[in-house]
Structures are given as structure tokens and as C-alpha cells.
Amino acid sequence: MSTATDESKTELRAEGFLPGNDRLLRGVQATLRWIRKDIADAQSLHELNAIDCVLSELASREETRFYLEHYRALRSLLAEGLGLIEGGGQATKLQTIRAALSANLPESLEAALSFEAISIRINEVMRLLATLIAIADTGDAAVLEFMARVSACENNLHIRRVKYADTRKLIERDSGLSLDAQKLTAYLRERFPDRRGIRVTNFKQLVGGFQKVTILFETIDDEQRRQALVMRAEKNDRFMAFTASDIRKEFAFVKALFELGIPVAEPLWLEDDERRLGQRFFVSRKLAGENYGSAVTMDKPLTDEVMRSFVEAIAKVHLLTTDSLRHLAVSDWLSYPTPQDNWRANIDYWRNQLWMKAGNPSAIVDRLAHWLRDNVPQERAPLCLIHGDYGPHNVLVDQGAVTGIVDWEMPRIGDPAEDIAWFLQACGGKADYRKVLEWYAEITGHRISEYRLRYYDVFGCLKLMAATICAEATFEHHEDASIVWLLLPYRMGFFGTSTAEARIEAAEALKHTQARVLNTVNG
């Protein structure tokens, strides 16, 4: 499947609100069918099958052409029946039906009507037809033939339901890595024939990970040699193109960082033949420790000891010399002569992610990009390696100290303030800003201004909104995309939209204060 780097997708445009209802329903059905594979309980399977039927019915209602035609056919039959059935003692009822037909039921309905509006008219026609048939003379052959055609027309609705469900375009949801302990064991025995009897134990795929799959596993062989390992694999359905989205680039990056003494897991080997297990991946030693929270908050106590360890770990990254990184994927970022050029390029990097053009238009994104371009900090700032997504969700902590920084697909050469601002936001207000900045200045010798922090607070909104739009657009256009992508627009996009203006206002205030200070210093 094509990834976000497929430039042909940039020609797509959002014609409606993405993803569409039909795509959402197909995503739910594909996910439920994937879950159903591992369910043995008969009652649960029975209920899942019923849910699948309901989802197909909801999807069918999105295609209103059938219902418009169904209405026209029923309405035509009603008009025909009124001309066929004599009044007799039912003249009043026939008059009532004729009045309703004339007043409320045009020969055809507008194509733009919603299913709900169409269904109200269909229901009214059906009610009048039922009333008409109830008073008809069943001894009349023409009337009986008419009744048969009414029944056939109503039956078309039920035929449609069955056929629609059977022909519905669905594929099995697939990340591209269909793996279990048995398959991984077979792979390891082929790759390491000298490890007699090697086998996988404690196989566990971690929940989460929007663009990569992470699997924890252990191995043991006949000589009782044990290893705790981590596999990081590509997904087919990536929705953004980052510096190291390609697993081969990320492997080279982590390998270089490990050799430079940065706290990352030791990478052991890269498997770049996707035919072996369905996708490219690399394997590292497992580090001790656990995540300290999510991308928006910490869920464990944040002591000064832990907080300083977070600062020390990222400071070590920022202190690397850029010369040591020229052979890696971030080398393109070294071409910008000034921090201001770098910052503007970073705005374009996010604003022009390939799937942005195919996604929902956003006034907030345009507002953010405009403000960020017009208010680039004019101070001098060091440019260094930054992580790009530094927070408690991408850091392992053991016994009060950071043991490793994970997820290196978004690195670039940029302003260290971006990492610090993102980290402080991700802590959900639990980190002490002053202490973090003081410790950072003490370790690196560089003091980050309040304005640059606030500038990157605004930038964080742009990053969230870009990810949201790209996730929605790619989900709409890729059948095998995971429905978990929609956590971004439906749960996390709010953090970008609801705070944008307040963050701009806070940054504006600091910018004006800073300008006054600089003017005073300059005489």
C-alpha cells in the first residue's frame, strides 16, 4: 500500500467532511471482523454478526439513490391504485388518500435529501398503500395483480439489504505485520542457526503506536541463554512523512545515537526484507523501565529527581555536535543558514505534509501558520538535534532515572526550545517550568527565553492539527487503515483547537515585553 510519501495523493481534495460516514462504518466493520477472529464464545460471535448487519444497513442508507427510486416506484403504485380501486363505501378514505398524495407526496424527491427525510416520505406512501389495499376488493383480478406488484416493490427493499451486505467492499484490516510467537520463532531459527532450539516467550504487542508496531518478546535456547528484546516494525498505513518514517533510517539513527552515548536501546539488527515477516523492522535490547504517561499528561508522581532526569536526558541529545550527524537522515536540516530560516522551514514541513491537501480545510491551521511565520523569534538560538516528540510517552524511567528515549522517527536539526516546550505541555501541568528551565540552562549553558517557549506552545497546536487532518484524510482513502487513527481527530485534536488563541495571546504578550527589554538594552 502507498504511504504518505505517495505524491499522487496530494491531488485528492476533501469534497465533504472527512472521513465520510461510509468510510467510518467500513472501518468499524473491518476492526470488528479482525477482533472476531480471536473470540470463541458463541453468544459474543452471534452478537458481533448482528452488529455487522446493523453497520451494513447504516452504510446502505448513505447511498440514497436506491431510496429515491424506491419512493418513486411506491408513489407511482399508489397513484395507480387510486385509479383502480372503486370507492364504494370507502369513498371518504379514498378521498383522504388522494388529498395526502396531492399535498405531501410529489412524484419525485430532491436528490440532495437526507435518508431521514426520504424515509419519512417512504413511510407515508407505505402507510397509504396499506390503507388502500385494506379496502380493496380481492375478488377483482386486476386488483390482485396490483397487490402482487406492491408486494414485489416492498420486497425489493429486503433484497437490497441482503445483496448490499454481501457485496459490500470490505477488506480485512491489516497493519502489514501479522505476527505471533510461532512465526517469530521460525524466523529466528532461520536467522540464527547457531542458537539451537531458540524460541520466543512472553510475546506481547504494545497498544498504541500510530505509525510503527512495537512488540516485546523474550528468547531462550537449549543452552538456557535468555534475551529480552523489542521489535519495532513499519506499518502499511502511515499517515505522515517524518525524517525517519522509513525504518531503515530510524535504525541508522538509533544505532548512531547509541554509539554516541545517548540513552537509547542498543539496536541489534535490521531486517529490511519485508517478505520475511510481512514488513521491515529492527530489533533492540529491551531497556529496564516504563513509560511515565501519555502524550498529554503524566500518570505517575513527578518528583524533582525524575523531572531532572528527564531534563538531563534530552540535554544530552541537544549537546551532540551537528558534525556527528551529517551522515544521517537529518542532514538536510543543516542547510539552513540561520535559526529563522530553520524555523520557517519547520512551519512548511508541518503545513505541507502530503496528506494535508487531501484533508479537511482548516481556518485554524491557516491562522496558526500565518502567525508562526509573522512572529518567528528574532533572537539568536543554537540549532541542534531535537527529538520532535519528547514527552513521558516516549521515555522509559526506572528507579527514578531515565533509562531510554524511544520513538526516533521525528528527529531534526532545530531549536531545542521545541523539545522543552513539547515536554512541558505533555506533562499536563505537573512539571515545574522554572526548575526545568534552570536545570536545562545549568546543564547546557543555554537559557531558553520565555518567548521561544510560548512560540513553540503555539507551534504545538499546528503539529496536532496537521496530524489530525492527515489521519482523517488517509483513513478516508486507505481501506486497511486502522480505526485507532481516529483517536487523533476525535479525542486529541481538541488540544490543538481549543487552546490556539490563548497560546497566541500569551506569546504576543511576551513578544511585546521582550521587545521593550531589547529596546532598553540597545539604548
Side-chain angles (χ1 to χ4, degrees):
M1 189 198 78
S2 300
T3 68
T5 58
D6 183 348
E7 295 192 12
S8 66
K9 299 302 181 185
T10 64
E11 300 304 315
L12 297 168
R13 293 291 186 276
E15 296 181 357
F17 197 73
L18 299 184
N21 288 355
D22 182 68
R23 178 65 187 100
L24 290 174
L25 291 167
R26 278 188 279 115
V28 173
Q29 283 183 284
T31 302
L32 287 175
R33 291 181 180 189
W34 180 71
I35 293 171
R36 190 168 57 188
K37 293 177 181 178
D38 296 323
I39 294 179
D41 175 61
Q43 182 60 33
S44 296
L45 285 171
H46 188 58
E47 292 179 4
L48 281 173
N49 287 334
I51 291 172
D52 193 67
C53 289
V54 170
L55 292 172
S56 287
E57 169 64 15
L58 289 173
S60 77
R61 296 179 179 187
E62 289 298 303
E63 298 179 14
T64 57
R65 179 184 297 179
F66 168 83
Y67 297 98
L68 290 168
E69 292 174 354
H70 190 58
Y71 165 82
R72 281 196 294 270
L74 290 170
R75 199 267 184 201
S76 177
L77 284 169
L78 179 60
E80 179 187 344
L82 282 168
L84 180 68
I85 296 173
E86 297 293 335
Q90 304 293 336
T92 302
K93 286 188 177 181
L94 287 172
Q95 185 177 358
T96 300
I97 294 172
R98 287 193 180 93
L101 178 65
S102 175
N104 302 319
L105 301 171
E107 289 187 12
S108 61
L109 301 176
E110 295 178 13
L113 283 180
S114 67
F115 170 81
E116 285 77 10
I118 297 169
S119 68
I120 290 171
R121 301 295 180 87
I122 290 176
N123 191 59
E124 177 66 7
V125 175
M126 290 295 294
R127 185 183 66 79
L128 295 174
L129 272 170
T131 301
L132 185 64
I133 287 175
I135 63 176
D137 179 5
T138 56
D140 187 323
V143 169
L144 289 176
E145 190 272 336
F146 167 75
M147 288 181 175
R149 285 191 286 121
V150 171
S151 295
C153 187
E154 182 176 345
N155 188 46
N156 284 339
L157 174 63
H158 300 281
I159 294 173
R160 148 83 172 185
R161 284 170 167 162
V162 173
K163 286 186 175 179
Y164 185 89
D166 288 343
T167 60
R168 188 150 162 71
K169 182 185 176 185
L170 286 177
I171 65 171
E172 294 297 331
R173 202 205 74 179
D174 184 13
S175 68
L177 190 74
S178 179
L179 192 61
D180 55 27
Q182 185 176 358
K183 291 179 182 177
L184 185 54
T185 293
Y187 165 81
L188 292 173
R189 287 181 177 179
E190 182 180 348
R191 183 178 180 90
F192 302 105
D194 57 318
R195 294 281 306 275
R196 292 184 56 190
I198 189 171
R199 55 197 178 275
V200 171
T201 61
N202 298 326
F203 180 95
K204 179 182 180 182
Q205 181 170 326
L206 297 185
V207 175
F210 283 103
Q211 302 220 116
K212 300 277 174 64
V213 176
T214 300
I215 294 172
L216 308 181
F217 66 98
E218 296 177 8
T219 65
I220 187 172
D221 59 23
D222 288 348
E223 297 179 16
Q224 299 302 302
R225 291 177 293 182
R226 298 176 182 271
Q227 283 185 307
L229 304 171
V230 180
M231 173 189 288
R232 185 162 169 80
E234 290 180 339
K235 287 184 177 180
N236 278 334
D237 52 355
R238 288 171 285 157
F239 58 91
M240 301 195 83
F242 295 128
T243 305
S245 290
D246 187 311
I247 201 77
R248 295 166 294 188
K249 292 181 179 180
E250 187 174 2
F251 174 77
F253 213 91
V254 175
K255 186 173 184 292
L257 292 177
F258 180 80
E259 292 169 352
L260 290 168
I262 301 301
V264 296
E266 179 186 2
L268 298 178
W269 78 87
L270 169 71
E271 180 54 75
D272 61 358
D273 184 354
E274 61 187 35
R275 295 171 299 179
R276 303 291 294 276
L277 284 175
Q279 199 54 276
R280 294 188 296 248
F281 62 88
F282 71 85
V283 174
S284 304
R285 295 194 192 279
K286 184 178 181 295
L287 292 169
E290 57 184 349
N291 291 124
Y292 238 57
S294 69
V296 294
T297 190
M298 284 195 169
D299 53 21
K300 296 179 178 61
L302 184 58
T303 64
D304 279 2
E305 177 189 20
V306 172
M307 188 163 59
R308 182 174 176 102
S309 186
F310 271 104
V311 176
E312 289 173 345
I314 196 61
K316 197 168 187 178
V317 173
H318 294 169
L319 287 171
L320 289 174
T321 64
T322 53
D323 282 344
S324 64
L325 307 169
R326 289 187 179 276
H327 64 295
L328 299 171
V330 293
S331 60
D332 288 348
W333 288 99
L334 294 170
S335 63
Y336 300 102
T338 68
Q340 287 71 34
D341 292 326
N342 182 284
W343 288 326
R344 292 187 185 97
N346 194 25
I347 297 167
D348 292 339
Y349 174 71
W350 284 94
R351 182 67 185 89
N352 297 321
Q353 282 282 331
L354 290 176
W355 280 105
M356 291 290 282
K357 293 181 179 180
N360 292 315
S362 169
I364 293 179
V365 166
D366 289 332
R367 157 77 163 140
L368 290 166
H370 245 299
W371 186 91
L372 289 165
R373 288 193 191 98
D374 292 344
N375 293 276
V376 167
Q378 294 305 306
E379 60 192 275
R380 297 179 64 182
L383 295 179
C384 62
L385 176 66
I386 65 173
H387 180 274
D389 192 16
Y390 189 71
H393 56 303
N394 282 327
V395 177
L396 298 175
V397 177
D398 186 48
Q399 298 181 6
V402 170
T403 56
I405 304 172
V406 301
D407 192 350
W408 283 94
E409 68 178 354
M410 293 174 59
R412 71 179 193 92
I413 302 299
D415 184 352
E418 182 175 349
D419 271 346
I420 300 302
W422 192 257
F423 166 71
L424 290 169
Q425 291 177 53
C427 289
K430 295 184 179 180
D432 187 319
Y433 270 52
R434 297 301 167 192
K435 285 183 178 179
V436 167
L437 295 178
E438 287 299 323
W439 288 333
Y440 185 82
E442 172 194 329
I443 297 166
T444 65
H446 172 66
R447 187 170 295 278
I448 296 173
S449 71
E450 283 281 342
Y451 177 65
R452 275 167 53 215
L453 272 186
R454 297 305 175 192
Y455 180 84
Y456 279 107
D457 280 350
V458 178
F459 210 111
C461 292
L462 177 64
K463 290 164 72 170
L464 276 172
M465 290 302 297
T468 288
I469 291 170
C470 288
E472 289 179 310
T474 320
F475 185 82
E476 170 74 11
H477 298 297
H478 281 318
E479 288 294 315
D480 56 351
S482 170
I483 203 166
V484 300
W485 284 6
L486 299 182
L487 289 171
L488 276 169
Y490 298 160
R491 290 295 180 268
M492 296 183 69
F494 166 81
F495 291 98
T497 58
S498 63
T499 61
E501 290 303 322
R503 290 182 180 187
I504 287 174
E505 184 178 343
E508 288 275 7
L510 276 170
K511 180 184 179 183
H512 295 148
T513 301
Q514 184 182 29
R516 286 195 297 272
V517 170
L518 288 173
N519 288 335
T520 301
V521 170
N522 293 331

